[in-house]
Amino acid sequence: MTVLNPRIEINLAKIESNTKEIVELANNRGIDIWAVTKGVAADLKVAKAMLLGGVIGLADSRMRNLIKLKELKCPLMLLRIPMLSEVDKVVEIVDISLNSELEVVKRLNQVAKDKDKVHKIILMVDLGDRREGILPEDLFEIAKEIKDLSNIEIIGLGTNLACFRGILPNEDNMTQLMDLVNNIREELEIELPIISAGNSSSLPLLLDLKHTSVTNQLRVGETILLGREVPSGEKFELTSLATFKLIAELIELKDKPTASKGEQGNDAFGQKQKIVDKGIRKRGILGIGRQDIIPEGLFPVSKKMTIEGASSDHLIVDLTDVEDIKLGDEIEFRLSYGALLGAMTSPYVNKEYYYTEEE
Ligand SMILES: *Cc1c(COP(=O)(O)O)cnc(C)c1O
């Protein structure tokens, strides 16, 4: 078999079992899980594994990804508030979209009317993370206007936490959300069955048996895909980290001085590198670079090597403490969410799928 490097190995069994664990935990608390596929550019095999794990639908931030997911014939949700220029596709392709702009919702209504459809939306509220969302004080008026639109159904309220400013779900913001929901239910007589108040960062709260949740829907990507808690990055109790492995090949291996020679300007990405002279070290270059991954988001499986830096096509590693290594060897890494996003999006990184219970 010819191997194509760099490559990312994807263990579909682990993605399925991570999904199962999270779905079970959430269902026991009355919460539905939507799996978020944007971290893998909506890779269809990964998406299928998530569906086998029991999620009720798939959610993605990009229409191109959702168009691809359409062939899986499951409920689809658009996570990023729609661009005015894509409302046609949104109504055609997805079942539910998240929204915060009245003007966009009015356009969605127009398109839905033309297509003789009812489009479902979740209104996003900004409870302090300061990414998308209607400010709480403006919510009621906007909901009231939307209620009169013929082809739009508000099915719930949602919020995003831990995204832009890293504000975490807590008693305060969840109570505030519940008050907003109750107000709209009572005053506007909109049923609002869905309270979609979170992502991976909400999962640790569910482990606490005393926790009572106002949320009945979570949109989860990172903890399913990488098995890690957000934002700590520690392994989540119920999930496995053995989902993805990135493999790159050693294309140069030499003992080299660590001090550089010549006058120093900026590197290829406009940064001035700090040079630490550690004498002569065993340096390796791997055939992968910033066009494929975020070097800061790669974690060597072997604790004996360190990443020194990267340019667009080269990753420089220190291999001084690694024994028995030779040109052509493969080096394995675990990935951060950002590095995974890059690797799965890059056409230069080969995707290899397998199915094993092994860690
Ligand atoms: C990306 C995203 C999520 C998923 O977040 P994770 O931290 O990966 O679980 C949920 N909701 C929205 C709106 C998103 O954009």
Side-chain angles (χ1 to χ4, degrees), residues 248-267:
E249 189 172 319
L250 199 54
I251 58 175
E252 187 188 285
L253 179 64
K254 293 182 195 304
D255 288 335
K256 282 194 181 180
T258 40
S260 41
K261 198 159 172 273
E263 195 187 339
Q264 189 191 16
N266 287 344
D267 67 13

Side-chain angles (χ1 to χ4, degrees), residues 74-127:
C74 65
L76 296 178
M77 182 176 349
L78 173 63
L79 293 173
R80 185 167 65 189
I81 50 171
M83 301 181 202
L84 277 172
S85 60
E86 67 186 3
V87 290
D88 266 48
K89 281 222 167 58
V90 175
V91 173
E92 184 191 326
I93 304 288
V94 309
D95 304 281
I96 305 169
S97 62
L98 308 184
N99 283 274
S100 67
E101 289 284 2
L102 184 57
E103 192 183 340
V104 174
V105 177
K106 285 180 175 166
R107 289 277 283 275
L108 287 167
N109 181 56
Q110 197 53 52
V111 176
K113 215 173 195 169
D114 295 345
K115 293 187 195 282
D116 203 16
K117 280 184 157 185
V118 173
H119 183 69
K120 294 182 182 144
I121 63 168
I122 292 177
L123 280 184
M124 295 301 278
V125 190
D126 177 2
L127 295 178

Side-chain angles (χ1 to χ4, degrees), residues 36 38 79 98 131-132 160 199-200 219-222 337:
V36 174
K38 67 186 185 212
L79 293 173
L98 308 184
R131 207 178 74 181
E132 79 276 35
N160 248 323
N199 44 37
S200 294
R219 305 160 250 117
V220 179
E222 181 161 354
Y337 195 65

Side-chain angles (χ1 to χ4, degrees), residues 3 17 78 82 124 126 136 146 172 186 192 196 205 246 260 274 306-307 324-325 333 337 343-344:
V3 291
S17 60
L78 173 63
M124 295 301 278
D126 177 2
I146 296 173
D172 268 3
E186 283 158 25
L192 289 186
S196 183
L205 293 175
L246 182 87
S260 41
K274 230 212 256 108
T306 53
I307 296 172
D324 292 334
I325 192 151
F333 301 90
Y337 195 65
M344 291 303 290

Side-chain angles (χ1 to χ4, degrees), residues 99-250:
N99 283 274
S100 67
E101 289 284 2
L102 184 57
E103 192 183 340
V104 174
V105 177
K106 285 180 175 166
R107 289 277 283 275
L108 287 167
N109 181 56
Q110 197 53 52
V111 176
K113 215 173 195 169
D114 295 345
K115 293 187 195 282
D116 203 16
K117 280 184 157 185
V118 173
H119 183 69
K120 294 182 182 144
I121 63 168
I122 292 177
L123 280 184
M124 295 301 278
V125 190
D126 177 2
L127 295 178
D129 197 54
R130 302 295 176 238
R131 207 178 74 181
E132 79 276 35
I134 299 163
L135 292 171
E137 57 268 33
D138 300 331
L139 180 68
F140 188 83
E141 283 308 313
I142 291 177
K144 198 165 146 198
E145 275 206 55
I146 296 173
K147 195 193 167 193
D148 293 333
L149 300 176
S150 56
N151 293 57
I152 295 289
E153 185 188 350
I154 308 179
I155 59 166
L157 291 193
T159 191
N160 248 323
L161 292 162
C163 275
F164 175 45
R165 293 277 173 74
I167 302 298
L168 295 173
N170 61 29
E171 193 82 26
D172 268 3
N173 48 39
M174 288 302 110
T175 308
Q176 191 185 10
L177 183 65
M178 208 54 226
D179 289 347
L180 292 166
V181 169
N182 287 334
N183 186 32
I184 290 177
R185 280 179 181 159
E186 283 158 25
E187 302 285 324
L188 295 180
E189 295 178 342
I190 302 174
E191 199 184 335
L192 289 186
I194 291 170
I195 304 171
S196 183
N199 44 37
S200 294
S201 69
S202 308
L203 294 172
L205 293 175
L206 305 188
L207 293 173
D208 178 0
L209 288 171
K210 292 195 298 293
H211 177 74
T212 50
S213 183
V214 305
T215 304
N216 58 25
Q217 177 188 97
L218 293 175
R219 305 160 250 117
V220 179
E222 181 161 354
T223 303
I224 291 177
L225 292 171
L226 293 171
R228 286 199 284 262
E229 280 185 19
V230 179
S232 76
E234 302 291 319
K235 181 187 172 317
F236 185 54
E237 239 178 85
L238 303 173
T239 48
S240 161
L241 302 173
T243 46
F244 295 89
K245 208 185 315 174
L246 182 87
I247 291 146
E249 189 172 319
L250 199 54

